[in-house]
Amino acid sequence: IIVIGLLIADLFIAVPTMTVTLLAGYFLGPMGGALSAGAGMILAGVIGYVISHKIGRVVLYRIITDDQRLLEMEDVFSRYGMVVLMICRAIPILPEVSCCLAGVTRMKFGRFGLAYLIGTVPYVIVCSWFGSQSSLANPMPAIWGAAGVSLVMWMCWFFLIRHHRSQSRKVAEHKGGSISG
């Protein structure tokens, strides 16, 4: 219940989800840790989606105050929403923003749920397992696991953003070329 509560609270205040998931695996074992962390993250995502679906952009402005960053995230989400939800664990705050963007943009709940589950379930299983393999005497499995998961997720996000910016430049060049031509 504590793990679930902390992860739901992450929608409203910054909670280190990976640390909570690793500790859930350590204290509850790989299965209990994954189930509790998964339940908390999924409930937080659904709550963010539902609130944003009903209220709209106001919720996003509470999470991200930088207008330029929010516009870029909205643009990325409008093109690659399913992929963003699958890799949203790559960067802090991105899971919350992604769920809220899904609600604001009126993404179908089934699509949202599928993509969010694809990204969240493996994440909680892997992190819980690494946490369960650690001990106070040997915390290295959790440390290496956290580093590995973070690196893989960050690389996915990096390549998505790189692809998005490349496509945006091509579109801008094409529009600029057609005007002068």
Side-chain angles (χ1 to χ4, degrees), residues 74-120:
E74 286 178 313
D75 188 38
V76 170
F77 192 83
S78 70
R79 294 181 189 192
Y80 314 105
M82 294 281 290
V83 175
V84 169
L85 286 164
M86 287 182 219
I87 63 171
C88 68
R89 299 272 157 214
I91 302 172
I93 301 176
L94 187 58
E96 297 81 17
V97 171
S98 300
C99 293
C100 292
L101 281 169
V104 167
T105 61
R106 306 276 193 239
M107 176 184 266
K108 290 184 179 178
F109 185 78
R111 288 175 51 95
F112 158 74
L114 177 65
Y116 192 63
L117 285 173
I118 289 171
T120 300

Side-chain angles (χ1 to χ4, degrees), residues 111-173:
R111 288 175 51 95
F112 158 74
L114 177 65
Y116 192 63
L117 285 173
I118 289 171
T120 300
V121 171
Y123 178 88
V124 297
I125 290 170
V126 169
C127 290
S128 292
W129 184 81
F130 278 117
S132 73
Q133 300 305 304
S134 301
S135 66
L136 292 176
N138 182 19
M140 292 313 290
I143 293 168
W144 285 111
V149 168
S150 296
L151 181 63
V152 168
M153 299 301 287
W154 183 86
M155 286 174 51
C156 290
W157 181 252
F158 172 80
F159 287 118
L160 176 67
I161 292 299
R162 185 173 160 186
H163 173 76
H164 171 71
R165 289 180 179 158
S166 170
Q167 293 301 320
S168 295
R169 274 194 300 278
K170 287 179 185 176
V171 168
E173 290 170 2

Side-chain angles (χ1 to χ4, degrees), residues 2 14-15 21 34 42 50 58-59 61 69 72-73 76 86-87 90 94 99 101 103 109 115 117 122 139 155 165:
I2 292 170
V15 174
T21 306
I42 291 165
V50 169
V58 174
V59 176
Y61 287 125
R69 185 172 174 208
E72 182 179 28
M73 292 180 97
V76 170
M86 287 182 219
I87 63 171
L94 187 58
C99 293
L101 281 169
F109 185 78
L117 285 173
M155 286 174 51
R165 289 180 179 158

